[in-house]
Amino acid sequence: MPTSQHSDWWAIALSEEVSGDKPLGLRCGDDEIVLFRGDDGQVRALENRCPHRRVPLSLGKIKPGGRIQCGYHGWTYDGDSGACVVIPNLRPNESISPRYRTEVWQVCELHGFVYVTPSNTSDEAALATPTTAPLSPVYSPGSREFYGRVTLGVGVDHFIAALMDGPQLLLAASGVKLTGDVVADPYLDNGKLVTRRAAVWRGQPGFDAFHHQYPLILTLAITPGSGEVSAEIHTPEDELVAACQLAPIGAARGTTSVCWRSWTAANPRGMRPGLVAMAAKAGIAPLQVRRQVDWEKLGGLLIGPSRHWPVANSETIRLLSVS
Amino acid sequence: MNQPALSTSRQRQLPPDWVPGEFPLRNAWLPVSNSRHVGSRPTWRTLHSRPVFLWRQQGKLTATEFHPAKLSDKRQAASEFTAGSGYYPVLERYGLVWVWYGNPDDAHESLVPNVPYIPAEGGLPAYMSGHLHLNSCAELAMENLLDLTHSDFVHANLIGDEISEQDEITVDTTSETITMVRTCRGKTAAPIMQKAGGIKAKTQDLRSTIHIYVRSHVALVYSRFIPGFDVPLLHCSTPESRNSCRVNFIMNTGAAKAPFRYVMPQAGYMVGAQDNSMLRPQAPRYHEQIERRDLNSRFDAATTQYRHLVQQLTARQQQGDFAYGSDANISGDKTALLRIGMPI
Ligand code: FES
Ligand SMILES: [Fe+2]
C-alpha cells in the first residue's frame, strides 16, 4: 500500500464513479481531467481536452488496452502515456508524431477514492514509476459503507474553514446532533491539523445546568495541502460511533465538489452506538455531507478554529509544532 | 489550499493563434432569415450582436436597427452599418432574406453568393428548409462542414461509416472562397438513403462538392450519390455573436424519391444537434489563457486552409481593405464548379 508523509495527491472521485463503460469528466481546480477504467481494471487520468480540436475526451469512448477515443474525429490516446496512438483512416505505413499527445495524470486508487497527481510528461521515467503516493486516510470501515458526491456553492478554502468553525452546518449525523461548541484548539497530529467539537445524542440533553459534560466528540483531521478531512464521532471512552472521509476539490465557478465515504464501527459497544450501526444496516448513512446547506447560517458563522487553516501550509505546521 | 496545476508545463511563447469568431468580417450579404418568416409583423434577428428588425411595410421588405415603433426615437443612435439611417440594405434571394453587414455604400447585388440549384426567387416548399441555433461561432460551424472525418463518429447513424474503396479529396481556394471536392467509390451506403430512399445497394459512389463563401459564411454543399440521388444543400451559418450562429438551411430534394425527399431535409435537425454536442464544449476552449495550437492530420487540409483564408481576410480588413478580390466571382454561376449533372 502506498504511503507517504507528503501528499501531492488529490482524491477527485469515488472508485464507484469510474467505470469501464463511460469516461468521467471532472474539474480539479483550474484543470479538467477525464478518468476512465481500462479493461485491466486500472484507472487512467488524462487532461480532458483533445489536442486535435479541443473537444473534451469525456465525450468519447473507452477502448481496449487502456485507451480512450475522442468522440469528434476518433483520435485515440493511450491512457498511460497520453500518446495519440490512432488517427482513423491513416494508411498502415503512416506514423503519428510522438509530439501528438495529451497531458497525463498519475493515478492511484485507495480506500474507495481515486487520487491523481500531475505527471511531468517530458520525463518518461517519472511516468513509469510513481514517486509519491497518497497519504493514506484513516480508513477502517467495519460495516456497510456509504458514499456520495455533493457539490456546494462555496469555495474549497471556505468549505474547509466552515467545516472547522461550524461542522453542524455541513455534516449530518445519524442519531447524533453536532454542536457549534469547540472542545480543543487545533493541534498537529501526524502531519494533520486536528480539531475537536462537541456532539450530543439526538433527543438527549447536552451540556446544561444538570449535565456537566458532552456525551460525544467530533474529531476533524485535515490533511494540509490536499484538504482531505477525516471526520469521526467518538464516545469519551473512544468508542467509534460514526466516521466519514471527505475529499473536497475546488470545482468550477467557485463551487466545491466533495466526495465522501462513511461507515460505523464493526461491533459497536453500548446501546446508542449500536443503534447508529443498526440504522446504517437499514440504509441510513452514519455521517455525511449535507446536500441542503443553510446558507443564511453559513454566512453568519463566526470565525473559530479556522483561523489556523487559511495558512495551514508548511509555515503554519511549523508554527503549530513549536507551540 | 493549492490544487495541482499542469499550467507550467504548458506555457510556450508563440505568436498569437487565430481565435475563431473574434473578428466580424464586414462587407458581406448575410442570410438572416427564411423569407417566409418575415411578414408584416416585425421579427428580429441578431448579426454580430446587433439587432436586426425585419418586416414588410406595405409588402416592401425592410430591415432596421430598431423596432419600427422606436425607430423615430432612436434614429440618432443608428450605427455606421446603416450609415446613420437605421435602415440596413436588405434583399431577398433563394428564399432567404439577406442583410448587408458593412458599409451600406458598398452593398451591391453582385456580391450576393450564387446558389445555382435554388430558384433565385425562392418559393421551394417549406419542408425543404429549416433553421438551427448552434452554440459556437460561425467559423467553427463552417469548419465542421469542411471536416469530413467527424461524420464517422458524430453522424454515423445517418451518413454511414467512412469506409470506401477509394477516397479522394481536393481543396481549392480563391481570396474569398474555398472549394473541397470529395470523390468516393464503393462507400458504405448512407443508412438514411437505404431506409427512406429505397436504395438496396450496400455501397455507393459519392461526389460531394463544398463551396464556401467565406465572408458570408454561406456554404453550397452538392452531393451526388450513385445509386441514389443528388442532395443539393445550402447551408448558411450566420454569425449572431462570438458564441452563437444561426443556421438557415435549404435542401432542394425535389428530384429525389419520397419519403427521402421529405425526410432528408428534416434530418438537418438531427445533424445540427449532433454537431452542437461537439461545438458547444469545443467553442469556449478557443479562449483559453494559455495558448496551445490545434494539432492537425492530413485530413485537416480543408479546415486548415479555411482558417488561413479567414486570417488573411481578417488581416486585410484590419488594415481597412474591405474590397473583394478580383478572383472572387461571388455571383457567377457555380453550376460547373459544383459539377452538377456530371458523372462521378
Ligand atoms: S477533436 Fe478529438 S479527434 Fe478531433
Ligand atoms: Fe457535422
Side-chain angles (χ1 to χ4, degrees):
Chain A
M1 182 184 301
T3 52
S4 159
Q5 278 306 296
H6 248 283
S7 171
D8 297 310
W9 292 80
W10 308 82
I12 62 165
L14 298 159
S15 285
E16 291 83 351
E17 291 179 303
V18 186
S19 77
D21 308 325
K22 230 178 101 24
L24 175 71
L26 287 170
R27 190 122 185 170
C28 179
D30 289 334
D31 290 301
E32 295 192 65
I33 298 176
V34 58
L35 294 177
F36 64 99
R37 203 177 284 279
D39 41 13
D40 56 357
Q42 293 294 314
V43 179
R44 315 291 202 288
L46 298 175
E47 189 190 1
N48 194 10
R49 176 189 184 278
C50 177
H52 178 226
R53 290 292 181 268
R54 313 186 186 200
V55 161
L57 289 173
S58 55
L59 298 175
K61 282 196 182 124
I62 301 167
K63 290 285 164 182
R67 293 173 169 188
I68 186 167
Q69 181 187 55
C70 177
Y72 202 2
H73 311 95
W75 288 26
T76 304
Y77 300 89
D78 177 73
D80 296 315
S81 67
C84 176
V85 287
V86 177
I87 294 178
N89 304 319
L90 281 187
R91 286 182 222 102
N93 61 346
E94 284 178 290
S95 62
I96 300 168
S97 156
R99 216 164 45 76
Y100 281 34
R101 55 167 59 241
T102 184
E103 306 270 3
V104 191
W105 294 69
Q106 287 186 73
V107 188
C108 178
E109 218 175 342
L110 189 64
H111 301 327
F113 288 98
V114 176
Y115 290 79
V116 297
T117 194
S119 298
N120 182 358
T121 43
S122 59
D123 183 354
E124 298 289 336
L127 263 180
T129 47
T131 46
T132 53
L135 189 66
S136 146
V138 181
Y139 183 88
S140 54
S143 59
R144 171 169 172 184
E145 237 189 310
F146 295 80
Y147 56 84
R149 178 191 285 275
V150 179
T151 300
L152 297 174
V154 59
V156 68
D157 289 340
H158 284 298
F159 173 82
I160 294 169
L163 202 57
M164 293 178 87
D165 294 339
Q168 74 280 10
L169 299 180
L170 296 171
L171 299 177
S174 151
V176 173
K177 188 167 167 276
L178 306 175
T179 78
D181 297 338
V182 178
V183 176
D185 277 338
Y187 59 96
L188 268 180
D189 186 1
N190 276 322
K192 298 192 181 195
L193 194 61
V194 180
T195 154
R196 288 175 186 269
R197 323 284 305 203
V200 295
W201 293 110
R202 219 163 263 287
Q204 289 275 303
F207 190 91
D208 59 24
F210 306 100
H211 300 87
H212 56 87
Q213 192 46 288
Y214 285 106
L216 293 168
I217 292 161
L218 168 73
T219 307
L220 297 168
I222 301 166
T223 308
S226 79
E228 248 183 288
V229 182
S230 306
E232 290 184 3
I233 300 170
H234 286 269
T235 63
E237 299 80 42
D238 224 18
E239 216 27 68
L240 179 72
V241 176
C244 185
Q245 185 71 18
L246 288 78
I249 292 287
R253 297 181 187 273
T255 62
T256 300
S257 202
V258 192
C259 291
W260 60 267
R261 307 189 80 88
S262 164
W263 61 93
T264 62
N267 302 301
R269 269 180 290 169
M271 185 193 63
R272 285 184 169 276
L275 282 174
V276 173
M278 264 170 66
K281 283 205 180 90
I284 297 169
L287 187 57
Q288 63 179 308
V289 182
R290 286 181 190 274
R291 264 187 191 282
Q292 305 300 335
V293 172
D294 187 334
W295 298 109
E296 213 75 56
K297 282 196 181 141
L298 194 76
L301 186 64
L302 296 177
I303 292 189
S306 79
R307 183 177 313 121
H308 300 277
W309 171 252
V311 281
N313 44 37
S314 47
E315 182 62 5
T316 326
I317 290 168
R318 198 178 57 76
L319 289 173
L320 282 168
S321 330
V322 293
S323 66
Chain B
M1 170 174 180
N2 302 311
Q3 301 254 329
L6 286 172
S7 315
T8 41
S9 63
R10 286 180 197 155
Q11 259 146 357
R12 262 191 301 153
Q13 288 300 309
L14 287 168
D17 194 9
W18 174 51
V19 180
E22 278 302 277
F23 187 86
L25 291 171
R26 291 192 183 198
N27 279 18
W29 289 104
L30 300 179
V32 293
S33 175
N34 194 301
S35 284
R36 66 193 158 81
H37 294 148
V38 182
S40 55
R41 260 189 69 190
T43 181
W44 64 278
R45 299 285 184 271
T46 318
L47 269 190
H48 292 297
S49 305
R50 295 179 170 277
V52 179
F53 289 90
L54 300 166
W55 76 100
R56 295 179 198 272
Q57 213 166 14
Q58 278 108 38
K60 185 178 175 286
L61 178 66
T62 311
T64 56
E65 289 188 69
F66 312 106
H67 190 277
K70 295 279 161 68
L71 198 54
S72 46
D73 291 355
K74 292 198 172 170
R75 185 156 308 151
Q76 297 94 307
S79 73
E80 56 188 309
F81 292 91
T82 61
S85 72
Y87 289 87
Y88 291 102
V90 62
L91 53 79
E92 262 171 298
R93 192 70 56 86
Y94 310 116
L96 296 171
V97 172
W98 303 69
V99 166
W100 178 260
Y101 182 82
N103 182 348
D105 293 340
D106 299 331
H108 294 296
E109 276 200 39
S110 65
L111 295 172
V112 180
N114 172 264
V115 188
Y117 45 80
I118 294 178
E121 65 286 0
L124 288 179
Y127 72 80
M128 290 186 187
S129 61
H131 50 272
L132 300 162
H133 186 91
L134 295 179
N135 297 109
S136 83
C137 61
E139 286 84 347
L140 285 180
M142 277 299 165
E143 278 194 14
N144 176 282
L145 263 189
L146 283 172
D147 152 19
L148 301 168
T149 56
H150 81 280
S151 292
D152 204 358
F153 297 91
V154 181
H155 310 304
N157 61 342
L158 291 168
I159 299 167
D161 61 42
E162 293 294 304
I163 298 165
S164 57
E165 288 159 22
Q166 204 189 323
D167 194 340
E168 266 172 31
I169 292 162
T170 60
V171 183
D172 269 310
T173 58
T174 68
S175 61
E176 298 284 344
T177 61
I178 180 162
T179 310
M180 180 174 82
V181 184
R182 181 190 195 194
T183 317
C184 296
R185 302 208 181 266
K187 184 178 187 301
T188 310
I192 191 163
M193 288 236 174
Q194 293 174 317
K195 290 197 183 102
I199 299 301
K200 299 272 180 321
K202 288 213 167 56
T203 63
Q204 291 169 304
D205 289 351
L206 158 71
R207 183 181 56 232
S208 192
T209 309
I210 301 183
H211 181 68
I212 292 181
Y213 299 95
V214 174
R215 277 199 215 203
S216 291
H217 307 281
V218 165
L220 312 182
V221 184
Y222 197 97
S223 305
R224 160 160 282 201
F225 294 86
I226 294 176
F229 319 102
D230 284 9
V231 182
L233 164 70
L234 170 63
H235 175 114
C236 315
S237 303
T238 305
E240 284 190 325
S241 73
R242 286 191 259 192
N243 300 296
S244 61
C245 64
R246 178 192 175 91
V247 175
N248 286 302
F249 64 88
I250 302 175
M251 200 180 270
N252 190 350
T253 47
K257 258 197 217 153
F260 180 82
R261 185 193 310 162
Y262 305 105
V263 172
M264 189 61 202
Q266 297 314 303
Y269 288 98
M270 196 197 278
V271 172
Q274 290 169 338
D275 281 329
N276 205 36
S277 72
M278 293 296 153
L279 291 170
R280 176 72 189 86
Q282 182 196 18
R285 291 185 164 183
Y286 283 88
H287 297 268
E288 287 172 349
Q289 290 304 304
I290 296 151
E291 187 183 300
R292 289 178 292 168
R293 288 175 187 235
D294 289 349
L295 301 179
N296 294 306
S297 77
R298 69 178 164 84
F299 307 105
D300 297 316
T303 55
T304 328
Q305 290 199 48
Y306 170 74
R307 286 183 179 192
H308 192 59
L309 206 48
V310 176
Q311 277 174 296
Q312 281 177 326
L313 270 173
T314 303
R316 267 175 54 202
Q317 297 210 348
Q318 278 169 335
Q319 281 154 27
D321 175 9
F322 299 98
Y324 278 77
S326 54
D327 59 347
N329 190 24
I330 299 293
S331 58
D333 184 13
K334 300 296 177 337
T335 307
L337 183 129
L338 296 173
R339 294 162 179 78
I340 296 176
M342 277 161 46
I344 296 180

